[in-house]
Amino acid sequence: MATIQVSVITPDGAVYEGDAELVVVKTVEGELGIKAKHIPLVSPLAVGPARFIKEGKEEQVAVSSGFVEVRPDHVSILAETAERPEQIDTERARKAKERAEQRLASEHVDRKRAEAALQRAITRIDVAKHKGA
Ligand code: ATP
């Protein structure tokens, strides 16, 4: 099957380079599936996993907000933060999840900020399970 090149880049550098038959990202409008020869587009990303599928195998990267730029032969994910499974400290993410949940349980809180922190932590915990997949 045809593949499309993928790169995940953060301000700290490239996190992932590869090619995939199918790329699935979480945009602010929902999940977007991308194959080779997709129409060009740019879309803001939500917090969530970016998934790369090839020959029945799936790799994932945890992505916080940013942008996806699609060209017919290349998908660029430009993220504020991104981690491959082996880069994720699950214990740190669990603690971040607990902190976010405690904040959301109290009244005087910036809910949007706490919810974003919670989503980042949940995404990291989930993506960390894809180690060696
Ligand atoms: P924390 O409260 O644990 O710092 P956070 O969601 O506020 O979590 P971010 O601001 O999204 O953290 O990320 C700051 C930097 O730390 C980024 O470079 C990000 O890749 C890295 N990072 C955050 N959480 C983890 C984690 N659980 N494992 C590995 N790297 C992480």
Side-chain angles (χ1 to χ4, degrees):
M1 202 187 282
T3 59
I4 188 163
Q5 294 290 317
V6 197
S7 47
V8 181
I9 296 154
T10 73
D12 295 330
V15 170
Y16 181 91
E17 301 273 357
D19 62 322
E21 291 159 1
L22 175 65
V23 176
V24 182
V25 291
K26 199 172 162 200
T27 77
V28 291
E29 285 169 10
E31 286 215 317
L32 173 68
I34 305 152
K35 290 182 177 177
K37 300 193 174 130
H38 195 283
I39 51 160
L41 65 81
V42 174
S43 176
L45 289 171
V47 179
R51 299 162 51 207
F52 312 117
I53 295 146
K54 188 169 121 179
E55 292 165 359
K57 289 189 190 145
E58 176 169 335
E59 292 185 277
Q60 293 194 358
V61 171
V63 173
S64 70
S65 51
F67 287 89
V68 59
E69 183 193 18
V70 182
R71 285 180 272 131
D73 60 348
H74 200 118
V75 181
S76 302
I77 293 168
L78 309 166
E80 261 165 48
T81 70
E83 303 92 30
R84 295 190 309 274
E86 69 273 16
Q87 295 177 307
I88 294 171
D89 177 343
T90 304
E91 194 47 39
R92 176 175 166 182
R94 275 207 200 98
K95 285 182 184 152
K97 180 170 176 271
E98 263 173 38
R99 278 198 306 278
E101 282 167 345
Q102 279 164 8
R103 276 190 233 124
L104 285 167
S106 71
E107 275 183 23
H108 304 289
V109 68
D110 180 345
R111 292 198 73 80
K112 244 183 135 179
R113 191 171 159 190
E115 271 160 17
L118 180 60
Q119 280 311 312
R120 290 196 299 276
I122 289 171
T123 298
R124 285 173 178 137
I125 292 164
D126 286 348
V127 167
K129 292 178 189 154
H130 274 258
K131 258 175 215 166

